[in-house]
Amino acid sequence: MAESLPPAPETGRVVVPAFDDHDPPDPALLSDCVHCGFCLPACPTYALWGEEMDSPRGRILLMDLARGGERPMGPEMVAHWDSCLGCLACVPACPSGVAYDRLLEQTRQQVERRYPRRRRERLWRWALFAVLPHPTRLRLLNSLLWAADRLSGPNLDPRALAPTRELAAAARLAPRGSLRSSWARLPRPQRPTHGRPARLRVAVLAGCVQRVVEAQTNVATAEVLAAYGAEVRIPPQQGCCGALELHAGRQESALHRARAFVATFEDPAVDRIAVNAAGCGAMLRELGRLLEDDHEWAARARAVAAKVRDVTEILDELGPPDDLHPLPLRVAYHDACHLAHAQGIRAAPRRVLQAIPELRLLEIPEGDLCCGSAGVYNLTQPAAAHDLGLRKAANVTAVAPDCVVAGNPGCLLQIRAALAEQGSAVPALHPVELVSASLRGRGAAVTGGG
């Protein structure tokens, strides 16, 4: 239970904070917000609804009121925090440097520990994290959704059979491709191609969701790194890094997975750790901070975090090989939020793609606006996510691309589903898939043209 603060001298009222003493929103960080409003145009939910409490400064105000005991942690307050995508577009937009990412992380773990959600909502969140961080369970679920899609017939959408909108959203996002790829093994370790000496030794994070729904991205990642001159290692015992849980407020289990990640990837012979999922990369760069109070793990976490790079950063560092084939394609680039806003990585992916001969890179209108994926947001807030997905799909098709690329599996699933709903056949790919296609001279196959 939270301890009561002394009675307010003006009123004699006993103030009971909504938060307990375990990592509550930091008052110093809260006070950094001067409520100037520069965050408003950057916020996707404010763009959707124009509601002050669904903007970053509104949510910060609610955090401050809850911390001071002026508002209880009730359904309305939690709904405003839940509706935040955590896209962090407000962070670079803020002239005061408010650490909204840290405040949101602190608030959500308080909510998940202290707020009694409705039974259905509690069960749905439990089910998500009973499946998503576990590749085998996710493969089984994906197989069931795949079978339902095949058996439903051409005139029956299996999403119509889903008993809740959350399950309907899951069915909508489920990949419709080959079932075999979701059961594929991890890529094999690789030496640099053409017998060249290794310029870097790189360990690849395969991810939990990534290895099931976007397995071809891991294959392309290993192949491309080797072609660029890296020795590629794929730790076979690796599991979920904990990013999905951390972003949803499940702090304890997220940190448990983070420690396991450190133990798996702390090979002193490895120069870089390649991450091809933006949400994972954003968390893993913060390992030192996340485990700073754990004396056994703090130094180890800092050493591992220092090696974490997005895969496009490593490719940019190594530079393109001479054997890239032309890809005469119009490619729309989507900035994954946790790549652009959380990690500040914008230039490296673009340089890597622009090194491909004859490829034309296109910027998307409202490029900084989140697509609605945001970890598990499209599974817990399906209505808002759906609206943002359709908005992103319309902006993609507005530039008439041959394909759209994004550096995060959740973005790819979200954009792909939204494009399909709008009747568009534009494929959604990870940047490394295009680089792999260029190395193989098979651009038409990647975009569905041959």
Side-chain angles (χ1 to χ4, degrees):
M1 295 290 292
E3 296 183 2
S4 299
L5 297 178
E10 299 84 359
T11 64
R13 178 173 58 90
V14 175
V15 178
V16 181
F19 304 128
D20 62 25
D21 294 332
H22 177 71
D23 199 19
D26 187 336
L29 299 183
L30 290 169
S31 66
D32 286 338
C33 179
V34 297
H35 304 283
C36 65
F38 277 86
C39 59
L40 299 184
C43 178
T45 50
Y46 188 81
L48 284 179
W49 307 317
E51 168 60 50
E52 177 67 29
M53 291 300 108
D54 287 315
S55 73
R57 71 176 182 182
R59 293 178 176 114
I60 288 174
L61 175 61
L62 292 177
M63 294 173 193
D64 203 23
L65 293 173
R67 182 192 64 83
E70 297 179 58
R71 294 278 186 89
M73 193 189 291
E76 184 178 356
M77 178 178 285
V78 170
H80 290 304
W81 292 330
D82 281 349
S83 70
C84 176
L85 291 107
C87 71
L88 309 185
C90 56
V91 175
C94 178
S96 302
V98 175
Y100 182 79
D101 50 346
R102 181 73 178 116
L103 288 170
L104 184 64
E105 179 186 309
Q106 292 170 328
T107 300
R108 282 189 164 163
Q109 60 88 22
Q110 290 274 342
V111 170
E112 290 310 298
R113 287 188 297 102
R114 295 174 53 78
Y115 177 66
R117 294 186 181 276
R118 293 178 302 167
R119 183 171 180 270
R120 194 184 89 171
E121 187 178 8
R122 189 169 65 250
L123 287 174
W124 176 239
R125 287 173 177 260
W126 171 85
L128 288 177
F129 292 105
V131 174
L132 294 179
H134 305 277
T136 299
R137 299 176 190 176
L138 184 56
R139 287 185 179 106
L140 290 170
L141 176 61
N142 189 50
S143 299
L144 290 173
L145 292 172
W146 182 90
D149 188 47
R150 294 303 184 274
L151 295 174
S152 61
N155 298 318
L156 181 61
D157 187 342
R159 291 172 289 183
L161 303 178
T164 68
R165 63 179 185 175
E166 290 84 3
L167 284 171
R172 174 176 175 268
L173 294 166
R176 298 294 194 265
S178 168
L179 185 62
R180 180 182 300 177
S181 66
S182 70
W183 289 89
R185 295 181 179 180
L186 292 177
R188 295 180 180 179
Q190 297 192 34
R191 298 287 301 171
T193 57
H194 307 303
R196 291 174 291 195
R199 299 169 58 194
L200 287 176
R201 290 163 295 188
V202 179
V204 174
L205 173 68
C208 47
V209 175
Q210 175 97 307
R211 74 174 74 177
V212 177
V213 301
E214 300 288 330
Q216 73 284 353
T217 299
N218 287 332
V219 173
T221 295
E223 291 178 348
V224 168
L225 284 169
Y228 275 57
E231 176 190 325
V232 182
R233 303 182 180 189
I234 316 284
Q237 70 274 32
Q238 62 177 287
C240 174
C241 69
L244 281 176
E245 290 179 304
L246 184 73
H247 298 155
R250 298 168 62 91
Q251 186 186 63
E252 184 176 350
S253 55
L255 295 185
H256 174 75
R257 296 188 190 281
R259 294 183 187 96
F261 173 87
V262 170
T264 300
F265 281 84
E266 60 181 348
D267 184 350
V270 166
D271 302 307
R272 304 283 186 273
I273 299 171
V275 182
N276 52 24
C280 299
M283 174 196 164
L284 295 176
R285 288 178 184 268
E286 295 290 310
L287 283 173
R289 176 185 63 79
L290 292 169
L291 296 173
E292 64 184 351
D293 295 329
D294 190 322
H295 298 302
E296 179 184 352
W297 291 91
R300 297 165 68 181
R302 286 194 299 270
V304 170
K307 297 180 180 182
V308 171
R309 302 287 189 279
D310 185 73
V311 61
T312 59
E313 289 185 286
I314 300 174
L315 298 179
D316 190 41
E317 176 185 358
L318 291 169
D322 296 330
D323 51 352
L324 288 175
H325 294 84
L327 291 184
L329 301 172
R330 293 169 52 86
V331 178
Y333 183 81
H334 165 68
D335 277 300
C337 293
H338 277 87
L339 197 59
H341 306 317
Q343 300 182 64
I345 300 171
R346 294 177 180 269
R350 287 172 167 84
R351 281 196 296 263
V352 168
L353 291 168
Q354 287 169 335
I356 299 174
E358 299 184 25
L359 184 146
R360 181 181 176 188
L361 204 60
L362 308 172
E363 298 298 332
I364 303 171
E366 295 186 319
D368 280 340
L369 195 70
C370 184
C371 68
S373 172
V376 297
Y377 187 88
N378 50 8
L379 298 173
T380 60
Q381 303 285 323
H386 180 257
D387 291 345
L388 288 168
L390 294 182
R391 188 163 173 164
K392 179 62 66 174
N395 284 325
V396 168
T397 56
V399 298
D402 296 305
C403 65
V404 56
V405 295
N408 190 60
C411 297
L412 293 175
L413 289 174
Q414 174 79 351
I415 294 172
R416 199 176 288 142
L419 287 168
E421 185 170 340
Q422 292 189 346
S424 171
V426 173
L429 310 165
H430 194 284
V432 295
E433 294 182 78
L434 279 184
V435 180
S436 176
S438 175
L439 288 166
R440 295 168 174 263
R442 297 184 59 191
V446 170
T447 58

